[in-house]
Amino acid sequence: MTALTQLKPINIIEKLGDEAWRRKFLRNVIIPWIFIAPLLIVHIFVVAIPAVQGVYMSMTDWGGINPDVEFIGLENYRELFFEDQSFAKAMNNTIVWMIFFLTVPFIMALFCATQLAQIKRGGMLYRSILFTPYILASVVTTTIWKNLLNPKQGILAATARAVGIQDFEVAFLGRTDTALMSIAFIDNWHFWGFLMVLFLAAMQAIPPVLYDAAKIDGANRWHEFRHVTLPGIRPTVLFMFMMVAIWSFLAFDYIWLTTQGGPGGASEVIATLLFKNAFLRFEAGYAAAMGVVISIFSGFIIMIFVMLRRRGWDI
């Protein structure tokens, strides 16, 4: 009897432990997977399966319309990197585009956000005005600037003639040496206000006591920006640095709506070249290889930031 009475509490404790473990497993494992299952299923059919198909199609000679698909292995990649001069030029233009957008809009946005952070009255009006170009459709923005940059009837050329400047009638979008940077200027006109709003929001989250402490230590405006503002908004800046680098490989709409990659491929980037190969030249397999290359470069950029985060960077 003594042994039996000693076993009963142990069995009850084991049963309670098993039941508690089951509830914990149900709450922490099963229920979360039940909620995430619909999104996971959609992601598999919308993202994962098309991605695998895209990688397979990049190894085929497929026109995009005909059902005949010929597997050719890595031939598209060999041609892409060792024979296609247009791809090399598009890659170079894409890198130039990325360098521009990783410098100019960031400098403008940081400077303007720093100034607006000091404004107590009317700040929302200034932010709205500077952010308005970002919400305009790309078709509207490109149409406005194509008219402004018209060398004969554009407002800029007319204003230059009115003030006595006669050599301003330059077709900025029609010259090989100015086309790409002119489109980058147009795109930056609509984009930098977006960065400014993000940086300004991050600056407003910095505790004011840090600025008070810096002023007590005798810091000027530059020292406050360098030692208080920049460290406070560094996660936002680095995250947008990564996103803009990735977006640079996807640049398409402003270039296509203004020059379609011309003149003579001077403003051609990978995305516009991919579109031409897929839908104008009906080389869908070759275009798929370009898409895979874009994904590889984007993954490489993400990998760099992941490594920096593992090393302690606040990203």
Side-chain angles (χ1 to χ4, degrees), residues 139-312:
V139 176
V140 176
T141 302
T142 53
T143 302
I144 292 173
W145 279 100
K146 284 171 72 174
N147 291 328
L148 289 173
L149 297 176
N150 189 304
K152 297 297 182 182
Q153 301 175 350
I155 296 177
L156 295 180
T159 304
R161 288 195 298 269
V163 298
I165 302 176
Q166 302 298 329
D167 298 330
F168 198 77
E169 296 181 356
V170 179
F172 291 100
L173 297 174
R175 293 178 49 173
T176 56
D177 57 340
T178 59
L180 184 63
M181 286 297 98
S182 298
I183 303 171
F185 170 82
I186 296 172
D187 197 352
N188 179 59
W189 177 83
H190 113 280
F191 177 68
W192 78 273
F194 171 71
L195 288 179
M196 181 270 299
V197 171
L198 292 180
F199 295 160
L200 182 59
M203 290 178 185
Q204 292 176 339
I206 299 175
V209 294
L210 297 179
Y211 291 100
D212 296 336
K215 290 177 182 178
I216 293 175
D217 291 339
N220 55 27
R221 291 286 298 275
W222 166 248
H223 291 149
E224 290 180 7
F225 176 77
R226 180 182 177 184
H227 298 289
V228 179
T229 304
L230 273 183
I233 66 172
R234 185 173 61 182
T236 303
V237 173
L238 291 178
F239 177 77
M240 291 310 303
F241 206 79
M242 177 185 68
M243 295 305 300
V244 170
I246 294 174
W247 290 341
S248 298
F249 286 95
L250 305 176
F252 175 79
D253 51 351
Y254 280 85
I255 298 173
W256 187 260
L257 291 170
T258 50
T259 63
Q260 296 187 2
S267 60
E268 194 86 82
V269 293
I270 298 178
T272 57
L273 186 62
L274 186 154
F275 180 86
K276 290 179 179 178
N277 280 280
F279 301 106
L280 300 182
R281 301 167 186 164
F282 299 103
E283 297 178 358
Y286 193 63
M290 293 184 185
V292 172
V293 170
I294 293 177
S295 300
I296 292 174
F297 278 109
S298 300
F300 181 72
I301 293 171
I302 295 174
M303 188 182 301
I304 292 175
F305 280 84
V306 169
M307 292 175 60
L308 293 176
R309 186 178 181 87
R310 289 181 176 177
R311 292 190 176 186

Side-chain angles (χ1 to χ4, degrees), residues 10-273:
I10 296 175
N11 293 333
I12 293 174
I13 293 173
E14 289 179 353
K15 289 182 179 180
L16 290 175
D18 292 341
E19 185 177 355
W21 182 86
R22 291 192 190 97
R23 290 180 179 178
K24 185 177 180 180
F25 181 78
L26 180 66
R27 184 176 62 254
N28 296 338
V29 179
I30 302 300
I31 292 179
W33 276 105
I34 292 175
F35 280 100
I36 203 174
L39 182 61
L40 183 62
I41 293 172
V42 172
H43 182 83
I44 290 173
F45 282 95
V46 176
V47 179
I49 293 178
V52 174
Q53 290 178 335
V55 174
Y56 171 74
M57 288 302 175
S58 69
M59 301 181 184
T60 63
D61 183 12
W62 181 47
I65 298 178
N66 57 318
D68 298 330
V69 179
E70 180 185 356
F71 185 81
I72 57 175
L74 300 177
E75 178 62 24
N76 285 331
Y77 295 96
R78 187 195 64 79
E79 181 179 352
L80 200 64
F81 287 107
F82 299 104
E83 295 183 5
D84 194 346
Q85 296 299 321
S86 60
F87 177 78
K89 191 172 185 179
M91 174 62 74
N92 180 69
N93 290 338
T94 302
I95 294 175
V96 172
W97 182 277
M98 181 174 64
I99 294 173
F100 176 89
F101 276 92
L102 289 179
T103 53
V104 176
F106 276 82
I107 294 173
M108 294 175 61
L110 284 172
F111 176 79
C112 190
T114 304
Q115 302 305 313
L116 285 177
Q118 310 299 321
I119 298 178
K120 303 301 181 183
R121 291 185 178 181
M124 183 59 67
L125 177 61
Y126 287 108
R127 298 173 208 170
S128 301
I129 293 174
L130 294 174
F131 186 75
T132 299
Y134 185 75
I135 64 176
L136 293 177
S138 54
V139 176
V140 176
T141 302
T142 53
T143 302
I144 292 173
W145 279 100
K146 284 171 72 174
N147 291 328
L148 289 173
L149 297 176
N150 189 304
K152 297 297 182 182
Q153 301 175 350
I155 296 177
L156 295 180
T159 304
R161 288 195 298 269
V163 298
I165 302 176
Q166 302 298 329
D167 298 330
F168 198 77
E169 296 181 356
V170 179
F172 291 100
L173 297 174
R175 293 178 49 173
T176 56
D177 57 340
T178 59
L180 184 63
M181 286 297 98
S182 298
I183 303 171
F185 170 82
I186 296 172
D187 197 352
N188 179 59
W189 177 83
H190 113 280
F191 177 68
W192 78 273
F194 171 71
L195 288 179
M196 181 270 299
V197 171
L198 292 180
F199 295 160
L200 182 59
M203 290 178 185
Q204 292 176 339
I206 299 175
V209 294
L210 297 179
Y211 291 100
D212 296 336
K215 290 177 182 178
I216 293 175
D217 291 339
N220 55 27
R221 291 286 298 275
W222 166 248
H223 291 149
E224 290 180 7
F225 176 77
R226 180 182 177 184
H227 298 289
V228 179
T229 304
L230 273 183
I233 66 172
R234 185 173 61 182
T236 303
V237 173
L238 291 178
F239 177 77
M240 291 310 303
F241 206 79
M242 177 185 68
M243 295 305 300
V244 170
I246 294 174
W247 290 341
S248 298
F249 286 95
L250 305 176
F252 175 79
D253 51 351
Y254 280 85
I255 298 173
W256 187 260
L257 291 170
T258 50
T259 63
Q260 296 187 2
S267 60
E268 194 86 82
V269 293
I270 298 178
T272 57
L273 186 62

